[in-house]
Amino acid sequence: YLDEVIISGDFQKVGKNAFWANRIKTIDLPDSVQRIESGAFCYTHLEEFIVPENIKYIAQNAFANAKLKRVVLNESVLAVAEEVFSKCPDLEIVVIGGAVEEIQAKSFSECPSLKTVVIPDGVKSISEDAFEDSTDNLTIYCNEESYAESYAKENNIQYTTLVLDSIDNQIYTGEEIRPYVGASANGKRLSLDTEYTVDYKNNINAGSAKIIARGLGDFKA
């Protein structure tokens, strides 16, 4: 079993079932990789996966049953495949890239810890069962009058149009880090402490910090 994987060279894909049931916790893929095939990271111990910029295709079941807590899809992935992140018991946060047009069947099914999914305006199709058995604590973050908003309403999923800006990785200083967090709703930039608040947790030691944003007034979820 491997804890960490660094792949170098001109590989263009991660093959089918390549790391199936391996205990890898981190992986570094070269820019040449464009595809991740089915089952590639199924049952792994990966806790976070930020998709490299050049990857355009991630096949079904690629990350099913993994230990993922956070997934960020890049701006080149066009679709979220069937059951690609299904049955990930610890998955909490998903950020969908701006090029994604479709979220397919059971993409995030049976993910009981799922709390936050950010869906951009480019998404025009979401399978009715994309979030099957994953909606107890789920909030969809989207823009007003978007397809995602309509989908959330039709499927009785909690949603909010309060959307936070992305935050770059921070450098460890040994002191509390409180990066500015911008927010928008309904296409309007919001004012911090007037229309929304931000709280920080676990933001001193190296690792994953948490930022908790709450809308105020008309923007209260």
Side-chain angles (χ1 to χ4, degrees), residues 68-71 88-94 113-117 138 210:
L68 287 166
K69 295 181 179 179
R70 179 171 178 257
V71 170
C88 293
D90 302 320
L91 185 60
E92 295 183 359
I93 300 172
V94 175
S113 300
L114 194 57
K115 295 179 180 179
T116 299
V117 177
L138 175 60
K210 288 186 178 181

Side-chain angles (χ1 to χ4, degrees), residues 115-119 121 139-146 149 158-166 180-199 211-221:
K115 295 179 180 179
T116 299
V117 177
V118 180
I119 302 180
D121 291 349
T139 298
I140 288 177
Y141 289 75
C142 58
N143 286 321
E144 188 178 30
E145 298 182 357
S146 64
E149 182 187 36
Q158 181 171 302
Y159 72 94
T160 179
T161 57
L162 175 64
V163 179
L164 303 180
D165 296 344
S166 61
Y180 173 76
V181 182
S184 60
N186 308 339
K188 172 193 171 186
R189 298 299 295 174
L190 303 186
S191 298
L192 182 62
D193 297 327
T194 301
E195 295 170 308
Y196 72 104
T197 62
V198 174
D199 294 317
I211 292 176
I212 302 169
R214 297 182 176 88
L216 301 174
D218 292 340
F219 303 101
K220 188 173 181 179

Side-chain angles (χ1 to χ4, degrees), residues 71 73-75 80 94-98 100 103 108 117-120 123:
V71 170
L73 298 179
N74 62 33
E75 297 298 314
V80 183
V94 175
V95 180
I96 305 294
V100 170
I103 300 175
F108 302 99
V117 177
V118 180
I119 302 180
V123 173

